Coordinates of all heavy atoms in Angstrom, one line a residue:
A1 N 42.8 -41.6 -190.6 CA 43.2 -40.6 -189.6 C 44.0 -41.3 -188.5 O 44.3 -40.6 -187.5 CB 41.9 -40.0 -188.9
D2 N 44.3 -42.7 -188.7 CA 45.0 -43.4 -187.7 C 46.4 -43.0 -187.6 O 47.1 -43.0 -188.6 CB 45.0 -45.0 -187.9 CG 45.3 -45.8 -186.7 OD1 46.3 -45.6 -186.2 OD2 44.4 -46.6 -186.4
E3 N 46.8 -42.5 -186.4 CA 48.2 -41.9 -186.3 C 49.3 -42.9 -186.0 O 50.4 -42.5 -185.7 CB 48.1 -40.9 -185.1 CG 47.2 -39.6 -185.6 CD 47.1 -38.6 -184.6 OE1 47.1 -38.9 -183.4 OE2 46.7 -37.4 -185.0
C4 N 48.9 -44.1 -185.9 CA 49.9 -45.3 -185.9 C 50.2 -45.9 -187.2 O 51.0 -46.8 -187.3 CB 49.6 -46.3 -184.9 SG 49.5 -45.7 -183.3
I5 N 49.6 -45.4 -188.3 CA 50.1 -45.7 -189.6 C 51.1 -44.6 -190.0 O 50.8 -43.4 -190.1 CB 49.0 -45.7 -190.7 CG1 47.7 -46.5 -190.2 CG2 49.5 -46.2 -192.0 CD1 46.6 -46.4 -191.2
L6 N 52.4 -45.0 -190.2 CA 53.5 -44.0 -190.0 C 53.8 -43.4 -191.4 O 54.0 -42.2 -191.5 CB 54.7 -44.6 -189.4 CG 54.4 -45.1 -188.0 CD1 55.8 -45.7 -187.5 CD2 53.9 -44.0 -187.1
T7 N 53.8 -44.2 -192.5 CA 54.0 -43.8 -193.8 C 53.7 -44.7 -194.9 O 53.6 -45.9 -194.5 CB 55.6 -43.3 -193.9 OG1 55.7 -42.5 -195.1 CG2 56.4 -44.6 -194.1
T8 N 53.5 -44.2 -196.1 CA 53.5 -45.1 -197.2 C 54.4 -44.5 -198.3 O 54.3 -43.2 -198.6 CB 52.0 -45.2 -197.7 OG1 51.1 -45.9 -196.7 CG2 51.9 -46.0 -199.1
I9 N 55.2 -45.3 -199.1 CA 56.0 -44.8 -200.2 C 55.8 -45.7 -201.3 O 55.6 -46.9 -201.2 CB 57.5 -44.7 -199.8 CG1 58.0 -46.1 -199.4 CG2 57.7 -43.8 -198.6 CD1 59.5 -46.1 -199.2
P10 N 55.9 -45.1 -202.5 CA 55.8 -46.1 -203.8 C 57.2 -46.9 -203.9 O 58.2 -46.5 -203.5 CB 55.7 -45.0 -204.8 CG 56.4 -43.8 -204.3 CD 56.0 -43.8 -202.8
V11 N 56.9 -48.1 -204.4 CA 58.1 -49.0 -204.5 C 58.1 -49.4 -206.0 O 57.3 -50.1 -206.5 CB 58.2 -50.3 -203.7 CG1 59.1 -51.2 -204.0 CG2 58.1 -49.9 -202.2
G12 N 59.3 -49.0 -206.7 CA 59.4 -49.3 -208.2 C 58.5 -48.7 -209.0 O 57.6 -47.8 -208.7
P13 N 58.6 -49.0 -210.3 CA 57.7 -48.3 -211.3 C 56.1 -49.0 -211.3 O 55.9 -50.0 -210.6 CB 58.3 -48.6 -212.7 CG 59.0 -49.9 -212.5 CD 59.6 -49.8 -211.0
V14 N 55.2 -48.4 -211.9 CA 53.8 -48.7 -212.0 C 53.9 -50.1 -212.6 O 54.6 -50.5 -213.6 CB 53.0 -47.9 -212.8 CG1 51.6 -48.6 -213.2 CG2 52.8 -46.7 -212.1
G15 N 53.2 -51.1 -211.9 CA 53.1 -52.5 -212.4 C 54.3 -53.4 -212.1 O 54.2 -54.6 -212.4
A16 N 55.2 -53.0 -211.2 CA 56.4 -53.8 -210.9 C 56.1 -54.9 -209.9 O 56.8 -55.8 -209.8 CB 57.5 -53.0 -210.3
L17 N 55.0 -54.7 -209.1 CA 54.5 -55.7 -208.3 C 55.4 -56.0 -207.1 O 56.1 -57.2 -207.1 CB 54.2 -57.1 -209.0 CG 53.3 -58.0 -208.3 CD1 52.0 -57.6 -207.8 CD2 53.0 -59.3 -209.3
P18 N 55.5 -55.2 -206.1 CA 56.4 -55.6 -205.0 C 55.8 -56.7 -204.1 O 54.7 -56.7 -203.6 CB 56.5 -54.2 -204.1 CG 55.2 -53.6 -204.6 CD 55.1 -53.9 -206.0
R19 N 56.6 -57.8 -204.1 CA 56.2 -59.0 -203.3 C 57.0 -59.3 -202.1 O 56.4 -59.9 -201.1 CB 56.2 -60.1 -204.2 CG 55.1 -60.4 -205.2 CD 55.1 -61.6 -205.8 NE 54.1 -62.0 -206.8 CZ 52.8 -62.3 -206.8 NH1 52.5 -62.5 -205.3 NH2 52.1 -62.6 -207.7
A20 N 58.2 -58.9 -202.0 CA 59.1 -59.3 -201.0 C 59.5 -58.2 -200.1 O 59.7 -57.0 -200.5 CB 60.4 -60.0 -201.6
V21 N 59.6 -58.4 -198.8 CA 60.0 -57.3 -197.9 C 60.9 -58.0 -196.7 O 60.4 -59.1 -196.3 CB 59.0 -56.4 -197.3 CG1 57.9 -57.3 -196.4 CG2 59.4 -55.2 -196.5
A22 N 62.0 -57.3 -196.3 CA 62.7 -57.9 -195.1 C 63.4 -56.7 -194.5 O 63.7 -55.7 -195.1 CB 63.8 -59.0 -195.6
V23 N 63.9 -56.9 -193.2 CA 64.8 -55.8 -192.5 C 66.1 -56.5 -192.3 O 66.2 -57.7 -191.8 CB 64.1 -55.3 -191.3 CG1 63.7 -56.4 -190.3 CG2 65.0 -54.3 -190.6
D24 N 67.3 -55.9 -192.5 CA 68.6 -56.5 -192.2 C 69.1 -56.2 -190.8 O 68.4 -55.3 -190.2 CB 69.5 -56.3 -193.3 CG 70.0 -54.8 -193.5 OD1 70.0 -54.1 -192.5 OD2 70.3 -54.4 -194.7
K25 N 70.2 -56.6 -190.5 CA 70.8 -56.5 -189.2 C 71.1 -55.1 -189.0 O 71.4 -54.6 -187.8 CB 71.8 -57.5 -188.8 CG 73.2 -57.2 -189.6 CD 74.2 -58.2 -189.3 CE 75.6 -57.9 -189.9 NZ 76.6 -58.8 -189.4
R26 N 71.3 -54.3 -189.9 CA 71.7 -52.8 -189.8 C 70.4 -52.0 -189.7 O 70.5 -50.7 -189.7 CB 72.5 -52.4 -190.8 CG 73.9 -53.1 -190.9 CD 74.8 -52.6 -192.1 NE 76.2 -53.2 -192.0 CZ 77.2 -52.6 -191.5 NH1 77.0 -51.4 -191.0 NH2 78.4 -53.1 -191.4
G27 N 69.3 -52.6 -189.8 CA 68.1 -51.8 -189.7 C 67.6 -51.3 -191.0 O 66.5 -50.7 -191.0
K28 N 68.2 -51.8 -192.1 CA 67.7 -51.2 -193.4 C 66.6 -52.1 -193.9 O 66.5 -53.3 -193.6 CB 68.9 -51.2 -194.4 CG 70.1 -50.4 -194.0 CD 69.7 -48.9 -193.8 CE 71.0 -48.1 -193.5 NZ 71.9 -47.9 -194.6
I29 N 65.6 -51.4 -194.6 CA 64.4 -52.2 -195.2 C 64.7 -52.5 -196.6 O 65.1 -51.7 -197.3 CB 63.1 -51.3 -195.0 CG1 63.1 -50.8 -193.6 CG2 61.9 -52.1 -195.4 CD1 63.0 -51.9 -192.5
W30 N 64.5 -53.8 -197.0 CA 64.4 -54.3 -198.3 C 63.1 -54.6 -198.9 O 62.4 -55.2 -198.2 CB 65.4 -55.4 -198.5 CG 66.8 -55.1 -198.0 CD1 67.4 -55.0 -196.8 CD2 67.9 -55.0 -199.1 NE1 68.8 -54.8 -196.8 CE2 69.0 -54.9 -198.2 CE3 68.0 -55.0 -200.4 CZ2 70.3 -54.6 -198.8 CZ3 69.3 -54.8 -200.9 CH2 70.4 -54.7 -200.2
A31 N 62.9 -54.1 -200.1 CA 61.6 -54.5 -200.8 C 62.1 -54.8 -202.3 O 62.8 -54.2 -203.0 CB 60.6 -53.4 -200.8
C32 N 61.4 -56.0 -202.7 CA 61.8 -56.6 -204.1 C 60.6 -56.6 -204.8 O 59.5 -57.0 -204.4 CB 62.4 -57.9 -203.9 SG 64.0 -57.9 -203.0
T33 N 60.8 -56.2 -206.2 CA 59.7 -56.3 -207.1 C 59.6 -57.5 -208.1 O 60.7 -57.6 -208.6 CB 59.7 -54.9 -208.0 OG1 60.9 -54.6 -208.4 CG2 59.1 -53.8 -207.2
H34 N 58.5 -58.1 -208.1 CA 58.5 -59.4 -208.9 C 58.6 -59.3 -210.5 O 59.3 -60.1 -211.0 CB 57.0 -60.0 -208.5 CG 56.8 -61.4 -209.3 ND1 56.1 -61.5 -210.3 CD2 57.1 -62.6 -208.8 CE1 56.0 -62.7 -210.6 NE2 56.6 -63.5 -209.7

């Protein structure tokens, strides 16, 4: 019920194992699957 958790989205297929995340200078979010 915490209203400061803003969202959750799936990354990649099942079992892809997202390990990396970064934000670039244009504000875009990057996530990489191991």
Side-chain angles (χ1 to χ4, degrees):
D2 198 304
E3 294 175 333
C4 291
I5 310 174
L6 301 181
T7 195
T8 294
I9 61 169
V11 174
V14 169
L17 191 60
R19 283 192 183 272
V21 65
V23 57
D24 69 32
K25 70 177 187 179
R26 293 178 177 266
K28 304 299 181 70
I29 308 301
W30 293 79
C32 303
T33 42
H34 180 263

